[in-house]
Amino acid sequence: MTWAPERRTPLQVLRALESGPRGLLESEADARLARDGENVLPTRRTPSWPLRLVRSLRDPFTAVLACLAVVSALVAAWGTAAVIAVLVAVSCVLRAAGEYRADRSAAGLRELVATTATVLRRAGPDADPAPREIPVDQVVVGDVVRLGPGDLVPADLRLLRATGLTMHQAALTGESAPVRKHPADEPSPAGTGFDRPELCFQGSSVASGSGTGVVVATGAETRFAAAYGGDGAVRGSVRGEAARGKVRGGDRRTTAFDRSVYGISWILIRFMLLTPPLVLMANAALRGRGLETLPFAVAVAVGLTPEMLPVIVTTALARGAATLARTHEVIVKRLPALHDLGAVDVVCVDKTGTLTQDRPVLDCALDASGAEDPDVLRWAAANSLWTLQLAEVPAADALDEALLDAAEQRLPGGFDALEHDPVAALPFDPVRRLSTAVVRTPDRLGSHTLIVKGAVEEVLDRCALGAGERSRVTALAAARADDGLRVLAVALGERPARTRAYTTADERGLTFVGLVGLRDATAETAAAALTALARSGVEVKVLTGDHPGTAARACRELGLAPGEVVTADVFDGLSDAALAELAARTTVFARCTPEQKARIVRVLRERGHVTGFLGDGVNDLPALRASDVGICPRDAVDVAREAADVVLAAKDLTSLDHAIAAGRRAGGTIAGYLRITLSSNFGNVIAMLTAGLLLPFLPMLPAQVLVQNLCSDAAQLAFAYDRQDPAALRRPLRLRPREVLRFVTGFGLLNAAADLATFAVLAWAVRAGSDASGQASFHTGWFTENLLTQALVMLLLRGGRGARGPVPVAACALAGAGLVLPLTPVGAALGMAPLPGVYYPLVGVVLGLYAGGLWWCGRSHR
């Protein structure tokens, strides 16, 4: 049900909703539940296993390999078709299994926004209303809901009554300070923002006080749901990103993985698609060969393909994700996001709930001169204690809890609750913005002491201060507030003992005692996490909706130099190019709306950075979706966990650095495989095409090409289990297609030169000609040399990781296969023949020169 609250009084709201202050009838509530549906958020449907497998085919190489398998079957190359089909199936199963495990782990973290709610319901028209605890999903529009301290708001409410009500809305707005809420006869002029005082929103919680409100929206119609994915700001920003070409398919952005691995893939796919026609046309024009060369052309295309890429990528990412989940409680929901983490060079973080705990702690207790004074804390704690006790507030708000905790820990001998006898209390309310406790001191008979605590200006207005002293106190409070503290003033008043009730009129002629300053408690592991990120070469930027002083102070406490804090009003009118320049030199952005956070992330990406965003609230959703990889902590709201790619399930932010390291290991595996395999494949294809045009016969039979590919593919699977050079983990890993292709071109030409030198050796050693024995010897010699050169590439271009590990073992096995296989019955079945002894020392010289070239060029590329 959609409901517009503008320009209606509470009475008009109740009438429009056909409700009343006594609540709904049970029968009417049941009818509305059947009509409007349950009060639940829209959720993402978990895909089935068949759908997961089909989605895995969207990987470009996987799709092309599937097409090559079909082509191979059409030309009766059944062995090729079978091998490729197995690779495709393994890749799809690995990817689907990894994403299934991530979804299952993430499902274990999902929590309802609230579990139960207290509503007023009536059994019949004449029955008295009775409070009932019902599941949140049974709340309907028109229900009258009661709220108390600590309660989570089950739906969007219009307040009917409230007493000292403050709400935590950090999950919605990023503002760490509790927001005052109170009923109003007319809606506030604040528009439709979360700051409207007469509305309480789903996803917020009661910090202090109590209230009663009528439900005006449930389920998908709430502002919480709109921000998550309805017609609200998040979806609007995503649509805007799609319109600018930043979101693939209109619902996800193009990530670093897409730009690197997929970028290289599509370049190679173009070469693969061009290779068979070129081979056919060249052989037809120069050698008069027709369609009989089609199997050879398909084999050449397969030879250019890094067939194991989907398997290597999926295996490396799945192993990294499984290790993170097992050892560091990090859940990778989207496998390519692990690669993106390894490439991240800028992490943007929200402050509240990530770097800080959204819980105040005492920073200082100062007298009028600015000196530390424990008596100020003692009086402030006494106010908190007796206001809580005498006003019968169910629980202290966060500020009072912080003062009481600090008094117990900091005061000499602790805080003595029996030091005073309570008399009366005037609780906090949002109009006068202060609270008063009246106490009796046992050794001062005949007098009562008023302890007043609240907003600085309100307390000073009630104190007997000269103009100069008031200016000094005001300046002291302003300086502390600018330094990021939440400042409260404390004052005392002595009154003759009496029995009649105390009122707000008694809060006059007070004596100023001092100020207490409170700050947000930082997350326990935040400082260590920021240090680890800096050590890993990752720049951190703080994007928050909070006060600039509060944000700067939190950064300083965590060891992050805030520099000049930039607020949203400064950069909102800048162009994207100007904002990108500003973002490059700014560490902290304050007073940011959700859309402004997303814009900063977007311009950083457009500037060439790979960005991660760490946030926990609804207000962080646009930025989570705009980043290359969205990250959230375990305590994030449900919809943030749904939108994030990575969930830090442990209460340890240093797990983010472990996740980045795992991403770099996986990315290094993928990059190493691509460079090594493509260099070898590219050189072989050049040599194969050149020999095919120069020789009167095919340089290698299609079956031999495919067996060679099968041997090298089996050996290359070891890359997925290889160790990475520790030096590669100290900086962000960027796999740029142009750099990879330059590397591949250079080493591929070196490989082609070795192959052509081998042709010369074969032409002299085995007298290869038009007779069958000479052709078989040529095929065998080149088959052996190909596998030996690929083994050398695997060993020498791997670089800096020693002789241990699976790759050296696999390379030795590949070299052994190249030497032994031609001598076996399998070799004979493939048309290979034994080679003369003179071939081996000659090809050894070629391989020695090739190894020297690899070592020299490889050293210059490190």
Side-chain angles (χ1 to χ4, degrees), residues 217-291:
T218 61
E221 302 300 330
T222 62
R223 288 292 305 278
F224 189 86
Y228 170 40
D231 296 326
V234 174
R235 179 166 290 185
S237 80
V238 174
R239 277 200 298 264
E241 290 274 306
R244 290 186 291 270
K246 306 300 177 186
V247 179
R248 187 182 54 201
D251 62 350
R252 271 212 73 89
R253 69 283 192 203
T254 300
T255 66
F257 184 84
D258 302 322
R259 296 191 296 271
S260 57
V261 177
Y262 282 173
I264 295 170
S265 299
W266 283 114
I267 293 173
L268 292 175
I269 285 168
R270 295 187 185 101
F271 278 114
M272 288 164 50
L273 295 177
L274 287 174
T275 299
L278 288 176
V279 172
L280 290 174
M281 288 186 293
N283 276 275
L286 298 179
R287 293 296 178 185
R289 304 181 187 125
L291 289 178

Side-chain angles (χ1 to χ4, degrees), residues 426 431-436 438 448-453 455-465 470 491-496 498 502-512:
L426 301 175
V431 177
R432 46 195 259 282
R433 297 195 297 159
L434 50 81
S435 62
T436 298
V438 183
H448 290 167
T449 302
L450 278 69
I451 311 171
V452 180
K453 170 173 63 67
V456 174
E457 60 272 23
E458 297 293 341
V459 173
L460 293 182
D461 285 343
R462 292 162 172 80
C463 290
L465 288 175
R470 174 165 181 151
L492 300 178
E494 292 295 327
R495 302 289 185 268
R498 71 190 194 197
Y502 284 88
T503 68
T504 58
D506 295 301
E507 299 170 336
R508 295 285 183 248
L510 304 175
T511 300
F512 179 75

